[in-house]
Amino acid sequence: MARLDELNQEMKIAMKAKDKEKLSTIRMLKSALQTEQINKGEELTEEDELTVLSREKKQRVESLNEFKAAGRDDLVLKLEREIEIVDDYLPAQLSEEEVREIVQDTVEQTGASSMKDMGKVMGALMPKVKGKADGNLVSSIVKEELNK
């Protein structure tokens, strides 16, 4: 399992550097991956790993937005750092233009013409962008394309 090995190595480096924030975030990621592996009962595929890491990032982004709204600047800074660390283990994110191109291609491939076809488009699209683009961004671009 590549990601767990990578996390173990990074954990050792963070311990030696006495980087408590990075260490706790790596431990959290490692725990989430191990829990998923136990629940699944077999080795995780790379796609499974991306799903877990994306879920962890999404949780932090949602919490970040709530803390910003509540004016909890102390927690905002901590979460921003955690998100940066999680991003290190995710593939590079696609730009909005790249997502827009993929959405347009998928809409053409599926023959979608209205909002009724959104489920069909999203079903075909998400495997292409999984872990590489924010689901909310993808959804909004699909809605935009289907409402033209």
Side-chain angles (χ1 to χ4, degrees):
M1 175 164 292
R3 288 253 173 14
L4 275 179
D5 294 338
E6 181 182 355
L7 288 170
N8 283 328
Q9 293 300 317
E10 292 289 326
M11 200 163 71
K12 290 175 189 173
I13 293 168
M15 280 183 205
K16 289 178 182 174
K18 297 187 184 345
D19 187 344
K20 291 180 182 179
E21 285 181 332
K22 187 168 187 173
L23 181 60
S24 71
T25 304
I26 290 171
R27 283 182 173 153
M28 173 272 312
L29 291 175
K30 187 178 169 196
S31 173
L33 287 169
Q34 289 173 328
T35 301
E36 186 71 18
Q37 184 175 348
I38 290 168
N39 290 341
K40 194 171 181 187
E42 59 187 43
E43 291 288 315
L44 297 178
T45 63
E46 188 171 339
E47 186 176 322
D48 293 334
E49 292 173 343
L50 283 177
T51 300
V52 172
L53 295 176
S54 296
R55 181 174 57 225
E56 293 296 322
K57 179 179 177 182
K58 182 180 179 183
Q59 289 172 351
R60 273 148 195 76
V61 169
E62 289 171 357
S63 295
L64 178 70
N65 293 332
E66 290 174 18
F67 289 146
K68 280 182 179 177
R72 294 292 311 265
D73 295 334
D74 55 328
L75 296 174
V76 167
L77 294 173
K78 181 180 182 287
L79 277 175
E80 285 175 343
R81 175 76 173 122
E82 284 184 12
I83 291 168
E84 286 176 21
I85 294 167
V86 174
D87 278 340
D88 291 343
Y89 301 100
L90 287 168
Q93 296 293 295
L94 297 171
S95 68
E96 186 173 338
E97 295 79 34
E98 292 169 317
V99 172
R100 195 170 296 280
E101 278 181 37
I102 295 170
V103 167
Q104 289 169 344
D105 291 344
T106 305
V107 167
E108 288 174 21
Q109 290 170 359
T110 58
S113 58
S114 70
M115 284 300 292
K116 292 179 184 176
D117 299 321
M118 183 156 177
K120 180 171 38 170
V121 173
M122 291 298 286
L125 182 62
M126 288 313 287
K128 297 177 186 177
V129 298
K130 188 172 206 148
K132 299 177 192 168
D134 177 51
N136 293 331
L137 172 66
V138 173
S139 177
S140 67
I141 293 174
V142 169
K143 287 177 185 173
E144 192 179 302
E145 287 296 317
L146 292 177
N147 282 326
K148 283 186 176 178

